[in-house]
Amino acid sequence: MSARTLPLLFLNLGGEMLYILDQRLRAQSIPGEKARKVMNDIITTMFNKKFMEELFKPQDLYSKKALRTVYDRLAHASIMRLNQASMDKLYDLMTMAFKYQVLLCPRPRDILLVTFNHLDAIKDFISDAPGILNQVDETFRRLIEIYNCLSDGEFQLIRQTLLIFFQDMHIRVSIFLKDKVQNSNGRFVLPISGPVPWGTEVPGLIRIFNHKGVEVKRAEFTTAGNYVTPQREGSFELYGDRVLKLGTNMYSVTRPVETHMSGSSKNLASQAKENMAPNPLAKEELNFLARLLGGLDIQKPAGGETGFRLNLFTTDEEEEHAAQTRPEELSYKVINIEATQEPGRRAELSRILGELEVAEPRPDSAEKGEDLLALMDGL
Amino acid sequence: LPSRVLLVLTSQRGVQVRPGGDPGAHSVFARGISAAGGRFICVGTSFGAVLVFDIPPKGTNVTLSEVLEQHRDPVTDIAAEQGQAPDGAGDLVTADDSGTLCLWSTGEEFTLLGKIPGSGSTCSSVTLWNGIVAAGYGNGQIRLWEAGSGRIRAQVNAHARWIYALDLAPLTGKLLSGAEDSFVHVWKLSRNPDTDDIEIQHCHAECVTDTQVCGARFCDPAGDTFAVTGYDLSEILCYGPA
């Protein structure tokens, strides 16, 4: 599996999260000032320098549990609050959207274009804040530097790593169902028409050569597919027309975001089992999370500025109902980490961080991880 | 191995190669397995080397016989001759990420007979039959190469997406191709021993709706039936004559 997948996973999921939050902030008529502050705070946190440095180190993907916790933290990096049910729904939408984009990428390297689409949109969200814009551009340049030269084979490996991460997820998303992009069984529709990927020929032609290398015969075959040649290739530069629409914002104020929980199935049972198996990387993930927590400036509502709660559902009753009826197998079993601003607590976190630097993985390290989690819960 | 520590596990059914140590920026993995020369198992690696294991007829005393270091990119697939190789054609072909193909003659010592350079597209899977190399590429093309001379003999715009699997039925020369475009195609290869003409014809197409095909294999040596697997698919689909 590819050790270069995590940055792409993180940035694209983050991008989807921002699209959804932006739509909900407007649907809920949150005042412009507050909405902008929330978006700016989250984007600043996402592109934090230390965070990015850690992210870009070659490493395996995090477990679903650890990744979900990172987004939980990210969504709460500002004055906005989300209930568990809304956070669950947000994460469902983010993951299904990116799964769809990865699946439908014409060429493996088009995953980079999808990432660039997300980054272009993020830059639009913060166009009025040059400081944060710089951070995003830095990350953009880093992506170009590291990924533009990778081979097709390496991109295919990245793509396969991502697809394995998303395997067996079939949550039905209302906007996908309406657009006929997803079937009622949760599987995505794979079109067999349209432009072929850049660098691929339209299927149908057979050319035969003799032993001297001269073409001596041509034949055609037909299939149900209806493909055409593509117009042009998307740009892999810092600025440019990406051509590919995957990764652009599909939400607008008028289109509500809904998910339907598919009922239980054997696939979900195996997924739940996977989430409970001991994770040998738990120590590394906690290390990273602790560093993330330790370095953040958490926004506490001060003076006249009040926090608010964002609802991913149309009404509070709907949110309550969703929380109660969510199938057990689909619960994310999130690690709740209460981070505070008090300096005393900061010292505590740093001490824990110090403890985590111990190099030798002990046989009972999984249990040690759980103790630390419990410690953090109690803060 | 001088460059990597590999833990090699063997069992009755096959060889497992596990990487040890820090992967660094590049993942270490094994990909591409084939039996060769009647007593060897060849395994491709992500650093381009092909490991040749000598398998005794009885027991578990598997030894590393040779390391072939001709590929500079991760190995994608390895295939042994499934029919009758013409003289000088070699009986093993190895492929890599850059599209480069290497042709070998197997034995106590493996000999490199020829190298076909890649031309920008990954060769994802390969088969060898009667001295014809059939190679599937990431850009959806199937190319037929003559093993002896290394010359291209056919080029097919077969699929609209990355070809994941190729299989060959040795009794009839039927070729099966499966790709991310949801299609599985059956082709017929033929080689005229007198005129030396090599041909490929399209026989049949199946569309596995809304599924990216990841695996495709004939279920019998004549190629009358085949099985297909796909991403997110928990079933194996079998196709046969009506």
Side-chain angles (χ1 to χ4, degrees), chain B residues 91-108:
Chain B
D91 55 345
L92 188 79
V93 60
T94 56
D96 71 27
D97 259 4
S98 72
T100 301
L101 300 168
C102 288
L103 289 136
W104 308 86
S105 115
T106 64
E108 283 286 337

Side-chain angles (χ1 to χ4, degrees), chain A residues 168-181:
Chain A
D168 295 329
M169 287 186 67
H170 299 299
I171 298 164
R172 281 142 41 219
V173 175
S174 197
I175 199 173
F176 287 147
L177 294 170
K178 283 205 187 92
D179 287 349
K180 299 266 191 292
V181 135

Side-chain angles (χ1 to χ4, degrees), chain B residues 170-236:
Chain B
L171 286 185
T172 52
K174 277 201 196 156
L175 183 74
L176 186 68
S177 65
E180 280 175 7
D181 63 353
S182 307
F183 280 91
V184 179
H185 290 294
V186 181
W187 318 82
K188 183 93 169 20
L189 302 186
S190 56
R191 180 170 206 165
N192 188 320
D194 306 315
T195 63
D196 213 27
D197 285 339
I198 291 175
E199 278 247 6
I200 178 169
Q201 290 168 315
H202 183 255
C203 300
H204 185 74
E206 279 294 336
C207 180
V208 189
T209 314
D210 297 336
T211 303
Q212 295 197 343
V213 174
C214 292
R217 277 274 180 274
F218 283 121
C219 302
D220 65 281
D224 291 326
T225 51
F226 58 89
V228 171
T229 60
Y231 175 69
D232 257 353
L233 206 59
S234 47
E235 301 134 342
I236 299 175

Side-chain angles (χ1 to χ4, degrees), chain A residues 166-286:
Chain A
F166 290 126
Q167 194 161 303
D168 295 329
M169 287 186 67
H170 299 299
I171 298 164
R172 281 142 41 219
V173 175
S174 197
I175 199 173
F176 287 147
L177 294 170
K178 283 205 187 92
D179 287 349
K180 299 266 191 292
V181 135
Q182 192 179 27
N183 293 319
S184 52
N185 64 2
R187 311 292 169 136
F188 288 117
V189 172
L190 299 184
I192 54 172
S193 60
V196 288
W198 189 262
T200 293
E201 303 281 346
V202 172
L205 183 63
I206 302 173
R207 297 167 68 194
I208 307 285
F209 304 90
N210 66 13
H211 62 274
K212 292 208 203 90
V214 178
E215 186 183 308
V216 293
K217 187 175 171 188
R218 282 197 169 202
E220 297 259 350
F221 69 95
T222 52
T223 59
N226 184 13
Y227 296 101
V228 295
T229 38
Q231 294 262 350
R232 60 191 189 285
E233 191 184 11
S235 163
F236 287 85
E237 308 294 310
L238 194 60
Y239 300 98
D241 179 9
R242 312 294 173 200
V243 179
L244 196 63
K245 290 288 161 267
L246 295 170
T248 55
N249 196 345
M250 60 181 159
Y251 304 105
S252 66
V253 196
T254 51
R255 304 192 82 176
V257 284
E258 291 158 36
T259 54
H260 301 274
M261 290 295 111
S262 10
S264 54
S265 75
K266 38 190 183 311
N267 287 337
L268 291 169
S270 64
Q271 203 182 318
K273 240 183 263 170
E274 182 226 295
N275 285 336
M276 301 206 285
N279 183 0
L281 287 176
K283 195 176 89 72
E284 266 65 51
E285 290 165 3
L286 289 172

